[in-house]
Amino acid sequence: MSPWISAFRPRTLPLALASILTGGFLAQAAGYFNGPVVALAALTTILLQVLSNLANDYGDSQNGADSIHRQGPQRAVQSGAITPAQMKRGMWICGLLALASGLALLWVALGAAGLGLFLAFVALGLAAIWAAVNYTAGANPYGYAGLGDISVFLFFGIVGVCGTYFLQTRALPLQVLLPAAALGCFATAVLNVNNIRDINSDVLAGKITIPVRLGPIHARRYHWLLLVLGLGCATVFVALTYHSPWQWLFVLAAPLFAFNARQVWQRQESMQLDPLLKQMALSTLVFTVLFGVGQVLG
């Protein structure tokens, strides 16, 4: 596999798409689906995710988290397959592409009608680019202070779902925050598995993630909490908006989350946790499709 393809971390991309798909499904259920908006939102999100992955590869190599003590897959800069200078160029290219895609998204969705709204979303997009880069790169990466969970919850959940929904409907009912929070919890759970796996190397690098703060046992309890809260938010949403049994279709994804939670609890070796990252991301995608189809059929 090309070192660049590996650095893009394709297995993280289904998770990036989940919030966009959820916003699209909810808009379709409300009668406002806009294909070009969803497609451009998906492209922008994928580019932001790739940017985050490249910045993570670069930042962790510079700050010491990617070292001989790390138990996960070897990264491109760490291995020497891509030089730091090349990775920085890749980050710039990906960031500019994400910006261009985001501007195209806003033009298609909003046009020139609402300049204030357009500028507000531009600011939100720039914040997303900043967050993608400064998670582990930059002078004071916030991921090293344990703030990655908040960022993932906001951008992979609240912003992704609510933003996609709003750009199609020009409305944002409060109940949409519930499926958005569910996606945020599941995305944060993926990050949590990653951080549980890397506890030992993160401690040595001074990267104080939530699992480092909590310790391995409480971090695993936190993982259970995230999954229960995610399913709970979806359940409350359906209860509040119920009009068809199809809306409960998402419950079929519950065994996938239960399997992930049980395996995270049982697997104590770092490398044993690595496959659960992909499984959790794919479980989130399955949940998204089931939840969304249930809303549309309902």
Side-chain angles (χ1 to χ4, degrees), residues 90-117:
M91 290 164 57
W92 271 103
I93 292 170
C94 199
L96 290 172
L97 289 173
L99 179 61
S101 177
L103 290 173
L105 164 64
L106 296 180
W107 182 257
V108 169
L110 303 175
L115 180 60
L117 194 58

Side-chain angles (χ1 to χ4, degrees), residues 56 60 135-136 143 146-149 152 188-203 207-212 219 222 270 273 277:
N56 182 251
D60 276 347
Y135 172 54
T136 56
L147 300 177
D149 293 50
V152 166
T188 305
V190 175
L191 176 64
N192 191 54
V193 176
N194 179 85
N195 290 341
I196 293 174
R197 182 198 65 191
D198 293 343
I199 281 181
N200 293 331
S201 59
D202 284 346
V203 168
K207 187 177 182 181
I208 312 301
T209 61
I210 296 299
V212 169
Y222 170 58
S270 296
L273 291 169
L277 285 163

Side-chain angles (χ1 to χ4, degrees), residues 48 51-52 55-56 91 95 98-99 122-143 147-148 150-151 154-155:
L48 286 170
L51 172 61
S52 178
N56 182 251
M91 290 164 57
L99 179 61
V122 169
L124 189 60
L126 292 174
I129 291 174
W130 181 91
V133 172
N134 286 275
Y135 172 54
T136 56
N140 295 293
Y142 63 87
L147 300 177
I150 296 173
S151 178
L154 289 175
F155 286 102

Side-chain angles (χ1 to χ4, degrees), residues 177-179 181-182 185 228-238:
L177 289 171
L178 288 166
C185 286
V228 170
L229 285 175
L231 288 170
C233 286
T235 300
V236 173
F237 175 81
V238 170

